Amino acid sequence: MSEPRKLVIGAAPEGTRDPDAAARAVREMFTSIAPRYDLLNHVLSFNVDRLWWRRTARSFAHILAQPDSRVLDLCCGTGDMTFALRKQAGNHAPQVLGADFSHAMLQRAREKSLPKISNGKSGTPHWIEADALCLPFPGQHFSLVTSAFGFRNLANYDAGLREIARVLRPGGECGILDFSEPKGAIGHLYRLYFKQVLPRVGTLLSGVRGPYAYLPNSVERFPEPQEMLDRMRRAGFREASWTPYTFGIAGLYRGKK
Ligand SMILES: C[S@@+](CC[C@H](N)C(=O)[O-])C[C@H]1O[C@@H](n2cnc3c(N)ncnc32)[C@H](O)[C@@H]1O
């Protein structure tokens, strides 16, 4: 019989003993890989990441089609999920905001915005440096809050869900896209790739030891879908659901306030 999983509070990179230290380590880790983050993302995911961001944005087309919607993409990093939301919105121009606590990651997002601005594209996203666990927004402000591959890195998952619920309007929706561990034969292949190949290639290409070993560990620690859905319900979300993407390597959690 397999051992029951321990209740995990949040991300805890190796060597960190409390949530503050974990958050600091996470921020330093992403800051250290910011210059090569996009390249590594696309190489290591064989570009499937682009499909996942687009698919997630499409799931919220009904909100993005409303000009008075306010959209927040948490842990936006270099902004690819944020740009996918913006693109899905088309000419409808709701306000789309990307937030992250790593200055270096946001800097890359801003640089990627510049060609869009100079091409005269209206409604490019806005960027803000902010901690997802303590957002500088009033309650009931947003129609949609998303997070792609960021939520798993929070030092406290329940606090993260409560903060998302706080800033959402009643009826507002949340979408959390993140990795999960597939089962069966695909699971074997996935573990081989994620634990053996990816940390080596990631370390080689980024020139930084650590972050790409942390990635598979953080996915292993992350609550299984059923537990994540229970946590979402406890944080006040209804209609909580999980849709697996690409054999369950990733998946989208959704919930309504
Ligand atoms: C794996 S990256 C994901 C970036 C982007 N969403 C994507 O899909 O490529 C995770 C991001 O989460 C950010 N992050 C982690 N914890 C955070 C927190 N507490 N508040 C804000 N950002 C956080 C990191 O700085 C990093 O940029």
Side-chain angles (χ1 to χ4, degrees), residues 11-73:
E14 217 178 282
T16 61
R17 291 184 187 281
D18 60 70
D20 285 347
R24 266 197 311 276
V26 165
R27 183 163 49 205
E28 281 163 16
M29 205 155 48
F30 283 104
T31 297
S32 73
I33 57 170
R36 313 214 80 184
Y37 177 81
D38 285 337
L39 171 74
L40 276 152
N41 239 5
H42 303 323
V43 170
L44 293 172
S45 76
F46 308 104
N47 259 333
V48 181
D49 49 357
R50 294 180 201 274
L51 301 180
W52 292 336
W53 290 314
R54 261 186 252 148
R55 187 169 168 191
T56 298
R58 268 203 311 275
S59 307
F60 297 106
H62 56 294
I63 300 179
L64 295 164
Q66 292 168 22
D68 62 343
S69 287
R70 287 199 196 118
V71 179
L72 173 66
D73 181 35

Side-chain angles (χ1 to χ4, degrees), residues 163-218:
E163 190 60 350
I164 294 174
R166 182 185 72 78
V167 298
L168 275 176
R169 292 174 184 164
E173 296 189 38
C174 120
I176 297 172
L177 170 65
D178 223 311
F179 289 114
S180 78
E181 291 200 306
K183 310 268 182 257
I186 296 285
H188 282 302
L189 281 177
Y190 161 89
R191 272 185 288 280
L192 189 70
Y193 175 69
F194 230 59
K195 292 191 177 171
Q196 305 296 333
V197 181
L198 182 144
R200 289 191 174 93
V201 179
T203 303
L204 197 74
L205 292 185
S206 67
V208 185
R209 198 178 284 277
Y212 288 90
Y214 160 78
L215 175 59
N217 292 340
S218 69

Side-chain angles (χ1 to χ4, degrees), residues 1 3 22 25 49 71 90-91 95-96 98 114 121 149 156 159 165 180 196 217 221 230 249 252 256:
M1 225 167 75
E3 278 192 37
D49 49 357
V71 179
N91 294 327
Q95 193 188 85
V96 181
L114 292 179
K121 285 202 175 158
F149 309 107
N156 187 323
S180 78
Q196 305 296 333
N217 292 340
R221 275 174 64 86
D230 286 344
I249 291 170
L252 178 66
K256 259 189 199 165

Side-chain angles (χ1 to χ4, degrees), residues 26 30 37 41 53 75-77 100-102 105 130-132 148-149 154:
V26 165
F30 283 104
Y37 177 81
N41 239 5
W53 290 314
C75 304
C76 67
D100 200 284
F101 72 176
S102 161
M105 293 289 275
D131 187 335
F149 309 107
L154 299 186

